[in-house]
Amino acid sequence: MSHFSNIKTQIRNLSSLQAALSDLGVAWKSGPSTVRGYQGQTRTAEVVVEQSNDYDIGFSWNGQEYELVADLQYWQQPLSVEGFLKRLTQQYAYHTVVSEATKQGFQIAEQQKNTDGSLRLVVQRWSA
């Protein structure tokens, strides 16, 4: 029986996911690579976060989004799974918005982190 859990996310863009992990100071490697689990079980994922206890965290494409794949019993991160996903999702959203705005010719005019942890972005585009 597998010890791996798959947690659905709203993450669909690989480069924004990787940038968000880097923002959080999480070392990751690009896959496809092996996620190590309980009693030598493995899964394949596009992004793998190796943990020092030899039980990894992965992000695997399910055809629609990247799911977090891990043996949650051996979670070894400073934040809980929920806290980690909340911070990751916020950084992911930031990178996605900036990337899409840039593609459409906008520039970041102002960026502010609020006391409640939310981010405020102001984008602008000049037209001739």
Side-chain angles (χ1 to χ4, degrees):
M1 183 172 174
S2 176
H3 272 240
F4 284 105
S5 295
N6 290 22
I7 300 175
K8 290 187 178 273
T9 70
Q10 295 295 312
I11 297 173
R12 294 181 178 88
N13 181 288
L14 183 60
S15 61
S16 291
L17 167 61
Q18 292 168 336
L21 286 167
S22 294
D23 284 353
L24 297 178
V26 175
W28 55 271
K29 65 180 184 178
S30 191
S33 196
T34 301
V35 178
R36 302 168 296 172
Y38 181 70
Q39 291 187 336
Q41 294 177 358
T42 61
R43 294 276 178 91
T44 301
E46 284 69 30
V47 176
V48 174
V49 176
E50 293 180 337
Q51 298 188 117
S52 60
N53 64 1
D54 294 334
Y55 295 91
D56 303 324
I57 301 166
F59 288 89
S60 182
W61 182 252
N62 69 9
Q64 296 179 340
E65 63 200 8
Y66 288 94
E67 293 180 329
L68 184 143
V69 178
D71 186 336
L72 300 181
Q73 183 175 347
Y74 298 101
W75 184 264
Q76 193 180 45
Q77 296 297 307
L79 298 169
S80 67
V81 176
E82 295 80 14
F84 176 81
L85 283 173
K86 184 178 178 181
R87 297 262 324 269
L88 179 67
T89 301
Q90 182 183 41
Q91 287 305 121
Y92 170 79
Y94 167 82
H95 284 285
T96 301
V97 167
V98 169
S99 175
E100 289 302 313
T102 302
K103 283 180 191 173
Q104 295 179 29
F106 289 90
Q107 294 178 335
I108 306 299
E110 186 181 328
Q111 181 174 309
Q112 173 184 331
K113 186 166 188 169
N114 299 321
T115 55
D116 65 357
S118 64
L119 298 172
R120 180 177 180 270
L121 288 176
V122 176
V123 295
Q124 67 183 9
R125 177 172 60 184
W126 299 99
S127 58

